[in-house]
Amino acid sequence: MSTQGYEAELMSEREYVAGLYARLDAERARVKAAYRDALRGTGGTPMERDFEVRALGKEARRLDVADNGLCFGRLDAESGERSGERSGERSGARSYIGRIGLFDEGDEYEPVLLDWRAPAARPFYTATGAHPEGMRRRRQFHTRGRQVLDFSDEVFGRPDQGDRGDAALLAAVNAPRGEGMRDIVATIQAEQDEIIRLEHPGVVVIEGGPGTGKTVVALHRVAYLLYTQRERMERHGVLVVGPNPAFLNHISRVLPSLGESDVVFMTPGSLVPGLRVTAEDGPDAARLKGSLKILDVLKAAVADRQRLPEEPIPINLADVTVRIDAETAEWARDEARQSGLPHNDARAKFTEIVTYVLTERAISRIGRGWLTRDDREGWERLRKDLLKELAEDERFTAALDELWPVLTPESLLSSLYESPERLRAAGADPVLHRADGSAWTVSDVPLLDELVDLLGRDTSAEEAAAERERKKQAEFAAGVLDSLVGRQDSMDDEDHLFATDLLYAEDLAERFVEQDTRELVERAAADRDWTYRHVVVDEAQELSEMDWRVLMRRCPGRSFTVVGDLAQRRSPAGARSWDAMLQPYVPGRWVYRSLTVNYRTPAEIMAVAAGVLAEFAPDVQAPESVRACGVRPWARQVSDDDVKAAVEEFVREEAGREGTSVVIGPPDVPGAVPASETKGLEFDSVLVVDPDRILADGPRGAAELYVALTRATQRLGVLHRNPLPASLSGLR
């Protein structure tokens, strides 16, 4: 294309994209006006009005995310313009691809912008010169805000045309990193697109080395599933599980940027409502707690609290003293256990048997000489009086609490950890003993979740929390009503407030009291029994067998996207093979896909990391970097006294550059974070301090160092006090 032709075409594309933004603005205004009208509406039931308000609010949020990069490309089919046509002419065979879909206002309701997830948009990501998929040209826009800066074309079918050009991709991967992960909607590659659109109803495992984009592919897969299966999925939402809060914060913008908000983000330490646990156990304790063998310990610990009295327990009633002996308690215990109910629910059966025995014995003594079993009326009248007396007797209640106490997961597990005797009784390893039983670790969370099912619910705390929420919402609604009344009083007659506003406020107050008005994400995060339609698990190689039990409870339909890299596993209880971890739950319902291209780590840095990988995982092939950055990684030996100054020098230099940076090292290095806290994150520049100490930190130290080295997208430096490990000897 000539320079003059290019400029004319660029002007034409700018006009078209400006028209798309005008249509977006008009649609926003329409939806927001409808939203305001719905808030004031009085027609239909409260539930119908709530549904309309929520739907319009969600649509408004979807439209609000589309400002940046609304349209990022164009596809021309083979039936489009030919070489003899003028470059500025439009053709019906052209499709513009964007972040969301937009339609014209005519009777045909034709798309003027295709949603990137639509089937017709797929060739934008998959067409190549060898396989053009009916396409003649792919055009990619370079935009800033609402402005099209320039574009690049790939014309398929030419003799020298190879695979997809890398201009847009390289521009994206070379760009400085910001505060969080960016979506890749404009630069999805063919191998990524295949996984994103994979129609598999079970578990999809995506494995790839550092920088292969497995996390962002999984998130775009969620956006695709929500687009294609919205009715099935949006009422229950999607759960995304990541290794730590920093990682979740890093990825949290991706799905909202794609218009999806019904997503709950959690770490393994927050899967039980009310807990936000980050502390970790030592390797031995973590391994024990992560194994399914711990289930026998938990069951034994519950059974250990179902006690028999060492001596008969006397219960002094008004006319007689009765005793709970071991024989009575054993009968009651056997009946309660055979009921199959959770521990707290089975207490009713235990109490029923004990009460029956005590009342029978009491009646026999009290009625000796004058009451026979033939006098059923007298017998039952006396039993009724005794039942009331037992219910009010503190000693009887205390005896029940001693023999069959009401337990919470927290009280049972903390008392188990604190008592060597109880650990022995439950057949547990002494390594689980600790002085503060309630100093929870991440490995405790699946055990607490398991105990919810073993013990049954104590709903008093939940009911109290629900009552507090109802009062809070009612107070808010009352405040809305008061403010509207105040506005009514202060307005002139000619600027009056419609009566429907007051009616709505009164209706609002009533609805807040009667209904749960929280958004799906808030309701799901607070409900341990909430079930999701789909679950994404990132850094899945770190999850234990017990972690997987929790997640399978959360998703009965077994629809998962599992992301990980077995070579990066650091947890002693983590996965050593996907088959061993998943087959017990989804036999024959999981598929494996791998990503082999490294889009993040430049070749110069990956060559260094590959040396570490070869030592601890010689059978694993390092991912191939898609680019080089032209900057060689460096190493520098310093003395103990110089470490702090060297780190400060790095920080100062990076502060003057665009992008992000991080210092990774042992805890005593000033300003450093451990490698485990950087998993899944990326930075323009990385300084690794004392790699030999990272290697020496437990059996998975090599994996930790591998993670540290592969966080950088541009620059990598290494400070070392001791000689460099052999695997890093190639560094200069």
Side-chain angles (χ1 to χ4, degrees):
M1 188 181 300
S2 67
T3 301
Q4 185 177 0
Y6 178 88
E7 291 299 329
E9 187 74 359
L10 179 59
M11 183 65 69
S12 176
E13 298 293 24
R14 285 173 173 170
E15 290 175 2
Y16 190 85
V17 172
L20 293 177
Y21 276 110
R23 192 172 300 279
L24 174 67
D25 291 339
E27 185 66 7
R28 279 177 175 166
R30 183 193 68 79
V31 171
K32 289 179 179 178
Y35 180 76
R36 289 193 296 270
D37 291 342
L39 284 174
R40 295 186 174 195
T42 57
T45 66
M47 184 174 295
E48 290 170 340
R49 294 198 297 276
D50 277 347
F51 178 81
E52 183 181 13
V53 168
R54 289 172 188 263
L56 288 168
K58 185 178 295 185
E59 178 65 8
R61 290 191 296 273
R62 185 185 78 90
L63 294 171
D64 280 342
V65 304
D67 247 4
N68 188 28
L70 171 64
C71 176
F72 44 76
R74 189 185 98 187
L75 271 176
D76 295 353
E78 288 181 346
S79 58
E81 63 184 34
R82 296 301 179 185
S83 57
E85 300 178 13
R86 288 182 292 119
S87 61
E89 291 180 344
R90 300 253 169 235
S91 167
R94 296 180 180 178
S95 299
Y96 286 82
I97 315 299
R99 193 171 293 277
I100 63 172
L102 292 175
F103 299 86
D104 65 20
E105 296 176 350
D107 295 336
E108 299 298 325
Y109 203 59
E110 291 292 329
V112 293
L113 182 66
L114 278 178
D115 190 299
W116 67 274
R117 295 165 288 194
R122 183 168 190 173
F124 185 78
Y125 303 110
T126 59
T128 65
H131 302 283
E133 300 188 26
M135 298 295 131
R136 192 170 58 83
R137 172 169 31 209
R138 172 172 42 232
R139 173 167 292 175
Q140 292 180 290
F141 298 145
H142 177 208
T143 63
R144 180 180 298 142
R146 292 188 167 204
Q147 181 69 24
V148 178
L149 300 180
D150 52 45
F151 66 81
S152 61
D153 280 349
E154 296 167 72
V155 179
F156 303 125
R158 292 179 177 175
D160 60 344
Q161 182 69 30
D163 286 340
R164 179 178 179 179
D166 291 332
L169 173 65
L170 290 176
V173 297
N174 279 313
R177 265 47 186 175
E179 290 299 316
M181 179 179 282
R182 298 168 295 193
D183 66 62
I184 58 169
V185 64
T187 58
I188 294 170
Q189 301 300 290
E191 70 166 358
Q192 298 171 330
D193 186 80
E194 179 186 353
I195 297 172
I196 289 169
R197 299 175 193 262
L198 185 62
E199 297 291 344
H200 182 75
V203 177
V204 176
V205 175
I206 307 172
E207 185 164 27
T212 53
K214 52 189 179 294
T215 296
V216 75
V217 166
L219 296 175
H220 283 67
R221 175 168 163 77
V222 169
Y224 176 76
L225 292 174
L226 285 167
Y227 177 81
T228 58
Q229 304 177 29
R230 188 165 302 281
E231 185 174 346
R232 185 182 76 86
M233 294 183 69
E234 71 176 353
R235 281 195 296 250
H236 287 256
V238 173
L239 172 64
V240 176
V241 179
N244 54 58
F247 174 83
L248 293 183
N249 182 61
H250 179 65
I251 69 171
S252 63
R253 297 176 180 85
V254 174
L255 284 167
S257 76
L258 300 173
E260 304 299 347
S261 57
D262 290 335
V263 181
V264 178
F265 293 90
M266 291 185 177
T267 66
S270 63
L271 286 171
V272 172
L275 291 179
R276 295 292 184 272
V277 182
T278 58
E280 295 188 4
D281 279 301
D284 292 338
R287 188 180 299 107
L288 289 169
K289 293 179 183 180
S291 168
L292 293 181
K293 295 177 182 178
I294 199 69
L295 291 172
D296 294 332
V297 172
L298 297 179
K299 293 173 183 176
V302 174
D304 184 54
R305 303 300 292 273
Q306 300 163 357
R307 312 300 292 269
L308 303 180
E310 295 180 2
E311 299 291 339
I313 302 173
I315 308 297
N316 299 315
L317 302 176
D319 300 316
V320 67
T321 296
V322 290
R323 289 174 172 77
I324 305 175
D325 53 31
E327 183 181 8
T328 299
E330 186 174 20
W331 177 28
R333 184 179 68 177
D334 291 345
E335 290 289 330
R337 287 176 175 175
Q338 290 172 15
S339 70
L341 295 171
H343 170 87
N344 290 334
D345 298 335
R347 175 181 160 116
K349 174 62 70 174
F350 180 85
T351 303
E352 176 187 342
I353 299 298
V354 172
T355 302
Y356 170 79
V357 171
L358 295 187
T359 55
E360 283 291 305
R361 290 175 179 173
I363 293 171
S364 297
R365 293 183 187 178
I366 296 171
R368 184 177 296 152
W370 62 272
L371 181 63
T372 66
R373 285 194 174 274
D374 293 335
D375 184 2
R376 300 305 305 168
E377 183 178 346
W379 197 281
E380 291 304 322
R381 185 168 57 251
L382 186 52
R383 184 193 299 278
K384 184 177 180 180
D385 292 340
L386 288 168
L387 287 174
K388 182 179 180 182
E389 194 172 350
L390 282 172
E392 297 173 351
D393 188 273
E394 294 182 358
R395 183 70 185 94
F396 180 64
T397 302
L400 292 177
D401 290 341
E402 178 184 344
L403 301 177
W404 198 286
V406 174
L407 298 170
T408 66
E410 293 80 3
S411 66
L412 176 74
L413 199 57
S414 63
S415 62
L416 176 67
Y417 290 152
E418 291 171 359
S419 171
E421 293 78 13
R422 284 179 172 160
L423 286 170
R424 280 196 298 272
D429 193 298
V431 75
L432 298 182
H433 176 260
R434 66 186 184 214
D436 184 356
S438 59
W440 304 122
T441 66
V442 174
S443 302
D444 290 326
V445 173
L447 277 59
L448 292 167
D449 191 73
E450 190 75 35
L451 285 168
V452 172
D453 288 345
L454 290 176
L455 297 176
R457 294 260 185 186
D458 177 8
T459 60
S460 56
E462 294 177 13
E463 292 170 355
E467 180 61 26
R468 288 194 298 272
E469 180 66 23
R470 282 193 294 270
K471 288 182 179 179
K472 176 182 173 182
Q473 300 287 15
E475 289 170 0
F476 168 76
V480 173
L481 179 57
D482 290 344
S483 67
L484 289 174
V485 172
R487 285 171 55 202
Q488 177 73 59
D489 293 342
S490 64
M491 287 181 178
D492 298 331
D493 290 340
E494 59 190 29
D495 190 25
H496 69 281
L497 188 68
F498 291 111
T500 53
D501 290 334
L502 294 178
L503 289 173
Y504 170 71
E506 292 173 345
D507 185 37
L508 178 69
E510 180 180 339
R511 284 153 59 192
F512 267 136
V513 173
E514 293 180 353
Q515 299 183 36
D516 187 344
T517 59
R518 295 173 297 172
E519 293 292 334
L520 180 146
V521 169
E522 188 178 359
R523 286 183 286 125
D527 185 356
R528 183 261 178 185
D529 293 324
W530 188 277
T531 57
Y532 298 89
R533 283 291 185 262
H534 191 77
V535 176
V536 175
V537 187
D538 209 322
E539 300 294 343
Q541 73 278 356
E542 307 297 346
L543 269 61
S544 69
E545 293 175 316
M546 289 298 294
D547 289 322
W548 280 107
R549 281 179 66 86
V550 178
L551 294 176
M552 293 297 169
R553 289 191 196 98
R554 303 297 191 268
C555 188
R558 304 293 195 259
S559 178
F560 283 77
T561 300
V562 175
V563 179
D565 180 10
L566 294 178
Q568 294 186 57
R569 178 182 63 84
R570 60 180 291 272
S571 170
R576 286 170 170 78
S577 83
W578 301 118
D579 184 75
M581 197 63 82
L582 295 173
Q583 195 67 12
Y585 301 105
V586 284
R589 286 194 59 213
W590 70 278
V591 296
Y592 176 88
R593 296 291 184 271
S594 64
L595 293 170
T596 58
V597 178
N598 189 330
Y599 300 100
R600 176 179 68 216
T601 317
E604 296 91 339
I605 296 176
M606 200 61 221
V608 176
V612 176
L613 179 66
E615 285 209 354
F616 78 92
D619 297 331
V620 177
Q621 180 68 37
E624 182 179 355
S625 296
V626 76
R627 67 189 175 100
C629 66
V631 180
R632 294 193 64 179
W634 55 266
R636 174 181 164 197
Q637 188 164 14
V638 294
S639 66
D640 291 344
D641 295 336
D642 292 336
V643 170
K644 181 178 180 182
V647 170
E648 291 173 348
E649 178 186 356
F650 168 81
V651 173
R652 279 196 307 273
E653 289 180 354
E654 292 302 324
R657 292 186 169 121
E658 187 179 3
T660 60
S661 62
V662 69
V663 178
I664 301 175
D668 60 344
V669 174
V673 299
S676 59
E677 292 186 11
T678 66
K679 296 196 76 169
L681 308 184
E682 55 186 27
F683 305 88
D684 291 273
S685 187
V686 172
L687 179 67
V688 178
V689 183
D690 289 341
D692 58 307
R693 292 175 60 195
I694 297 175
L695 277 173
D697 186 18
R700 300 302 298 176
E704 294 279 80
L705 181 57
Y706 183 57
V707 168
L709 295 171
T710 54
R711 298 308 94 194
T713 66
Q714 302 290 343
R715 300 174 296 280
L716 171 67
V718 175
L719 288 180
H720 59 104
R721 284 176 270 197
N722 299 318
L724 276 176
S727 57
L728 296 179
S729 59
L731 274 173
R732 292 187 179 179

